[in-house]
Amino acid sequence: MEGVPDTEYVKALVPEFTKETGIEVNLEVVNYAEMHTKLVPQLVSPKGSYSAIVVDFYWVGEFAKAGWMQPLDDRIKADNFDTSPYIPAMMDLVGKVDGTTYMLPFYNYAMGLTYRTDLLADAKNQADFKTKYGMDLKVPETWDEYQKQVEFFTKDGFYGAVNQGLRPDPIAMEWSNYLFANGGEYHDADWKPTLNTPAGVKALEQYTNSINKYGPVGSASFGFDEAFNVMAQGKAYSYITYNFFRTAYDDPSKSAVVGKVEIMPVPGVSPDKGGSLNGAWGWAIPKSSPNPDDAWTFLKWVESKEITKKRALAGGSPTRTDVFDDPDVLAKYPYYPALKKLLLTSHNFAVFTYTPQLVEVLGRELSLAVAGEKSPADALAAVEVEFAELAKKDGKLK
């Protein structure tokens, strides 16, 4: 498992599982960069050393196509394990593949728009914004409205937005929100790439401006930690980032803007459309698992509402709607309705066998556009060529 907060919350709860079942659990925490390399030899072996694994959505296509994960449908049916509480987009991303359930969604890392509520409430800001744009300054309902706010707040050494422009993963993930917010998608129903379109080009033009005109120097190479620190130190109006950062804004040891930041779905082309990128990990049982029955007992327990609720109350990122609606969780985290809406309206990245390769290509070309070495249209055209080759290689594009 990756060393993230949800792993720590599960680790703290595991003694309860052992007490209930008598099954001992050893959780192995591995750096993300090493995880795939470490997993594969165990997955291709007739009998590996991992009873259960967690799978990033990046790897779902590869693992499913290689036949490394056990189908869970028979176990789900035999034990009447109810998967209906899961948010549908989560089951699509890290649950089912081509109609077969291989995973139970674990934690989400969908992205949302974090923004300064105190700046929106300021009377002078409201008057100045009204004068300049002829509209009220408020929580943005559309992407166009948000773009005006980014421009408006960029002044006197303060930034309208901070971005995580590091290649390949941070920039690829963050720019995806710009694509969806403009009404774009990665491919059509036949997997024909749809990036070099008016929506895609506009999204890349806006992203380039966000970094070069409205953000701090150096943000083209920021990872999410550096970008978060700029926002948390009160130097930017907004940051599109992973929703698990929301709690950190209220931690005085990490933030100078406690009580001044809220999160919402990335706005889309209209108030009823969201532009957020989805992201999640799922629990799976490898075909090489030495203890598949015990692993299933653990998966049922760790993804029960009771345990998922405990994880959420500790600060975790659930994937079940019944946990998002739980009164105790809502009492502790009043912003949970916004997180639920974020997940319900989020969009999935292109998930297929070569997702990691697509991220590499996308990150490279987006960075070239941000650096001014390629036009947005030329950069996206290059992505389309390589994306189409990968989709054909995978049998998705005919």
Side-chain angles (χ1 to χ4, degrees), residues 12 19 108 145 211 215 220 247 284 292 302 309 342-343 353 396:
K19 185 177 180 181
N108 83 79
E145 186 179 358
I211 286 185
T247 54
V302 78
K309 176 181 172 180
L342 189 161
L343 292 182
T353 302
K396 297 286 189 185

Side-chain angles (χ1 to χ4, degrees), residues 26 44 51 74 90 111 151 153 155 187 192 265 269 302 306 341 357 371 386 388:
N26 294 313
V44 300
S51 299
D74 288 346
M90 288 291 148
M111 302 184 81
E151 180 185 63
F153 281 117
K155 53 191 172 186
H187 58 79
K192 181 181 178 183
V269 292
V302 78
E306 177 190 359
K341 183 181 178 184
Q357 289 84 346
E386 294 190 54

Side-chain angles (χ1 to χ4, degrees), residues 111-169:
M111 302 184 81
L113 171 61
T114 59
Y115 62 96
R116 289 279 297 276
T117 55
D118 60 318
L119 299 181
L120 292 183
D122 182 84
K124 184 175 187 308
N125 284 338
Q126 291 181 350
D128 290 349
F129 189 84
K130 183 87 170 185
T131 298
K132 184 171 184 178
Y133 297 101
M135 60 193 304
D136 292 333
L137 179 63
K138 56 182 176 52
V139 175
E141 296 184 29
T142 66
W143 180 250
D144 181 63
E145 186 179 358
Y146 166 63
Q147 289 295 295
K148 288 181 172 61
Q149 293 178 1
V150 169
E151 180 185 63
F152 174 75
F153 281 117
T154 305
K155 53 191 172 186
D156 304 326
F158 188 78
Y159 306 107
V162 59
N163 294 86
Q164 51 181 55
L166 182 68
R167 60 187 279 190
D169 175 275

Side-chain angles (χ1 to χ4, degrees), residues 4-7 9-10 86-87 90 105-110 242-247 279-281 283 303 308-320 323-324 329 333 335-336 339 343:
V4 295
D6 275 277
T7 295
Y9 305 142
V10 170
Y86 285 112
I87 288 172
M90 288 291 148
F106 173 22
Y107 74 88
N108 83 79
Y109 58 93
Y242 304 105
N243 71 84
F244 54 69
F245 275 121
R246 170 58 185 84
T247 54
W281 288 73
W283 298 99
E303 276 305 316
T308 308
K309 176 181 172 180
K310 287 183 178 180
R311 183 161 54 84
L313 287 171
S317 302
T319 54
R320 298 176 57 115
V323 174
F324 277 98
V329 176
Y333 303 116
Y335 54 85
Y336 254 53
L339 292 185
L343 292 182

